[in-house]
Amino acid sequence: MAGWYSLGIALFAAIGTFLFGFDTGIATTTIAHQSWIEYMNHPSNGLTGAVVAVYIAGEAVGALGQTFLGDKLGRIRFMQLLCVIVTVGTTIQTASVNIGMFLAGRAIAGVAVGGMVATVPIYLSEISPPDRRGLIGGISGCGISFGTMASNWVGFACSFAPYGPTQWRLPLGIQIPWGVIMFIGLATFMPDSPRQLLRNGKVDAARREFARVRRDLRSQHEVREEFALMRAQIEFEMAREVTSYREVFTLFGRRAMVSIVVQTMTSLTGINVIQYYQTTLYKSLGIGQETILALAGVYGTVAFVSNSITTKFLTDQWGRRKMILAGLSGLVVIMVYSAVMQRAFQASDNRVGKGFAVLGIYLYVAWYYAMINSTTWLYGAEVLPIALRSKVMGLAAAGHFVVNVAVTEAGPSAFANIGENYYYVFVGCTFFFLVVAYAYFPETRRKTLEEIARAFGDKVVLVGEGEGEGEEVDAEQAGLAAAAGDDGESASVTKEEGKNRATASTTSTVPPSHAST
């Protein structure tokens, strides 16, 4: 039952990333409907592109909001705020009477889902057990792919509705109840993050929530032991609290870099360009309108199925590092294949050849969602210490969205002027990130969030019972020792809990090997 509880919480939290996937994907079919084009008075290519651009800009604002408000409000209250915003944004989109109103709704909804997609992976990583964090945290990625799939099939189904605004208003309106449902769940039964509560000094509340979410621990002794380890590491990290981004990159430069790079690279693999403009690509191959919408539905289904399979069977078993390296390597090969196929058959009447060109798009989405989407959102959150998780994850997600604006805005012009050669831009970017990942991304599989510090060569706090196990050093001294990076020394922070004393000793580490553990 312990596993089912964690799984249930993760599935409910994934409503947030589902909304991200659905609202992102629904733009693909909405702007493809002739009824929408006519209702909006035939918007220019610039305004049509703005449907995507203002949404992504809103996502960047929402992600930065996570940076400034995520820790102050806490995970639950911040997500509740985002639920209100997304409900307002989706309602405005559904009720739009002109392109300006529609763009405003897109921007507001973008703010909400941008904050959601930055917060949900953090929340799930903080409440999941180490040996199942790949599954529990990876469900946030599944929420994105499920939302994409659902939006594509809903858009296809509504193409059979009577010609008019219903074809595009109904798909947009389906989003409205989900923000309300998630808000109610967050207000009633969803557990808070024990790590966030500890950071805010609410030790008793953190202990209760920890026992609630870690039902996999078999005894009270195991609960107390792991809670003490978690508390000691968090308090040690808080003792050297950073107050500026300069300190972030001075003290935790590699960890911050990995989190930001892993988010930025997802945009530069070209996934969003292909997702947003797949209908344009199908049209360039001479495929009819109804078939295009059906192919978009198949695209979403392939994404969700592949994402779900690897989240269940690979992320905890094979490991994040191996999946990212395999994913990037495969994308390079597939993008070269897609570019070659489109060059060969785009202007031909060879239906079999066009089928191979479409296959390239499907191979791409299957491999991306199987290997990259199932790991990167979780990986970007779990590599960060608690003090930086909101600050850096929000910055990383904002970087992801800013790069998205650039590559997606360039999409229509790029495909018009250089055609399939645009793929080679992403081939180069993906290969570059493959080299970076190989050199700098450690494995995090089956480690607690606190133990991951060791994978980056940071000090890790150990807790031993009894008063004679460690020399007491105050928190400031421990922070200075850690900041100095003196691997020849150890420090300890002693905390009193009830009548017992737990001595937290930091151990020096060496840079890890890249072998899985």
Side-chain angles (χ1 to χ4, degrees):
M1 291 301 294
W4 285 108
Y5 176 80
S6 299
L7 190 62
I9 292 299
L11 289 171
F12 193 87
I15 290 175
T17 53
F18 163 80
L19 284 168
F20 171 81
F22 192 97
D23 204 30
T24 300
I26 204 64
T28 302
T29 53
T30 297
I31 63 178
H33 281 302
Q34 187 62 33
S35 58
W36 180 85
I37 294 171
E38 290 183 2
Y39 191 92
M40 297 298 172
N41 293 320
H42 298 273
S44 65
N45 289 336
L47 283 175
T48 302
V51 170
V52 174
V54 300
Y55 179 73
I56 299 175
E59 290 173 329
V61 172
L64 290 174
Q66 148 75 17
T67 299
F68 297 109
L69 295 176
D71 285 335
K72 291 181 180 179
L73 296 180
R75 311 290 184 240
I76 296 294
R77 288 188 178 180
F78 184 62
M79 287 191 286
Q80 286 179 313
L81 173 63
L82 297 175
C83 287
V84 174
I85 297 173
V86 77
T87 303
V88 172
T90 53
T91 301
I92 291 174
Q93 287 181 70
T94 306
S96 293
V97 295
N98 55 52
I99 189 66
M101 186 175 176
F102 188 81
L103 292 176
R106 292 292 292 168
I108 293 170
V111 170
V113 298
M116 282 288 191
V117 84
T119 305
V120 171
I122 294 176
Y123 173 72
L124 293 181
S125 71
E126 290 180 347
I127 66 167
S128 52
D131 60 338
R132 303 190 74 205
R133 193 171 59 248
L135 171 62
I136 301 302
I139 286 175
S140 61
C142 291
I144 296 173
S145 57
F146 183 71
T148 301
M149 178 185 72
S151 68
N152 289 345
W153 281 120
V154 167
F156 172 69
C158 288
S159 68
F160 294 99
Y163 188 84
T166 302
Q167 288 183 316
W168 53 270
R169 287 196 197 276
L170 180 59
L172 293 169
I174 287 173
Q175 303 171 93
I176 296 173
W178 292 105
V180 178
I181 292 169
M182 187 173 181
F183 182 94
I184 293 171
L186 291 168
T188 53
F189 63 84
M190 293 288 280
D192 210 338
S193 165
R195 289 175 170 86
Q196 181 65 24
L197 291 171
L198 275 176
R199 178 169 162 74
N200 292 334
K202 300 177 181 179
V203 178
D204 291 336
R207 188 180 290 108
R208 287 194 301 270
E209 292 296 273
F210 183 77
R212 183 179 172 192
V213 300
R214 290 303 307 277
R215 301 183 184 190
D216 58 302
L217 298 175
R218 290 185 291 271
S219 66
Q220 284 299 312
H221 174 73
E222 288 184 354
V223 171
R224 286 193 298 270
E225 186 178 60
E226 190 157 333
F227 181 82
L229 284 166
M230 179 180 73
R231 180 183 176 186
Q233 182 73 25
I234 289 172
E235 290 176 341
F236 172 73
E237 290 174 355
M238 288 174 64
R240 48 178 185 162
E241 183 83 27
V242 295
T243 57
S244 69
Y245 278 103
R246 181 178 179 181
E247 290 180 312
V248 168
F249 290 99
T250 300
L251 296 175
F252 300 99
R254 184 182 171 197
R255 297 174 78 170
M257 182 275 291
V258 167
S259 181
I260 292 171
V261 167
V262 81
Q263 296 300 338
T264 305
M265 79 177 190
T266 58
S267 297
L268 289 173
T269 60
I271 181 63
N272 290 287
V273 171
I274 292 174
Q275 182 160 305
Y276 284 129
Y277 299 113
Q278 59 175 303
T279 54
T280 302
L281 296 174
Y282 299 144
K283 192 176 295 184
S284 71
L285 293 169
I287 299 172
Q289 181 67 20
E290 284 190 3
T291 306
I292 285 174
L293 292 177
L295 288 173
V298 175
Y299 175 100
T301 304
V302 170
F304 175 65
V305 171
S306 59
N307 199 157
S308 301
I309 291 172
T310 54
T311 297
K312 176 67 173 73
F313 296 108
L314 281 186
T315 48
D316 285 320
Q317 293 83 351
W318 201 32
R320 276 61 123 183
R321 174 182 162 82
K322 290 179 181 177
M323 290 180 69
I324 289 172
L325 294 178
L328 294 173
S329 301
L331 290 181
V332 169
V333 175
I334 293 168
M335 279 189 284
V336 171
Y337 166 85
S338 295
V340 171
M341 289 297 104
Q342 288 201 32
R343 173 179 285 275
F345 299 109
Q346 199 165 37
S348 78
D349 295 325
N350 189 328
R351 294 178 63 86
V352 175
K354 290 180 185 292
F356 278 108
V358 172
L359 176 63
I361 296 175
Y362 287 156
L363 288 173
Y364 179 90
V365 68
W367 197 250
Y368 177 88
Y369 277 91
M371 294 295 174
I372 302 297
N373 195 68
S374 57
T375 55
T376 50
W377 289 105
L378 168 65
Y379 190 78
E382 67 182 357
V383 298
L384 297 168
I386 181 71
L388 308 184
R389 208 160 283 148
S390 286
K391 293 184 180 71
V392 177
M393 188 64 176
L395 190 65
H400 167 86
F401 296 129
V402 168
V403 173
N404 259 355
V405 171
V407 296
T408 54
E409 275 293 278
S413 298
F415 282 123
N417 293 308
I418 63 175
E420 70 284 344
N421 290 321
Y422 196 31
Y423 282 114
Y424 292 113
V425 174
F426 301 118
V427 168
C429 292
T430 303
F431 183 78
F432 170 77
F433 285 119
L434 173 62
V435 174
V436 172
Y438 182 82
Y440 294 105
F441 287 18
E443 184 55 75
T444 56
R445 179 177 69 101
R446 301 195 176 185
K447 293 180 174 71
T448 68
L449 292 181
E450 291 69 41
E451 289 170 344
I452 288 172
R454 181 180 290 113
F456 288 92
D458 290 343
K459 295 180 183 293
V460 179
V461 177
L462 304 175
V463 175
E465 294 184 358
E467 296 189 26
E469 295 185 16
E471 179 184 352
E472 291 189 19
V473 180
D474 64 32
E476 183 178 357
Q477 290 174 318
L480 290 172
D486 187 354
D487 286 343
E489 297 179 2
S490 65
S492 65
V493 182
T494 302
K495 299 292 176 184
E496 187 166 349
E497 193 168 336
K499 294 182 179 180
N500 298 321
R501 302 182 76 181
T503 302
S505 302
T506 66
T507 62
S508 62
T509 61
V510 295
S513 68
H514 293 305
S516 299
T517 57

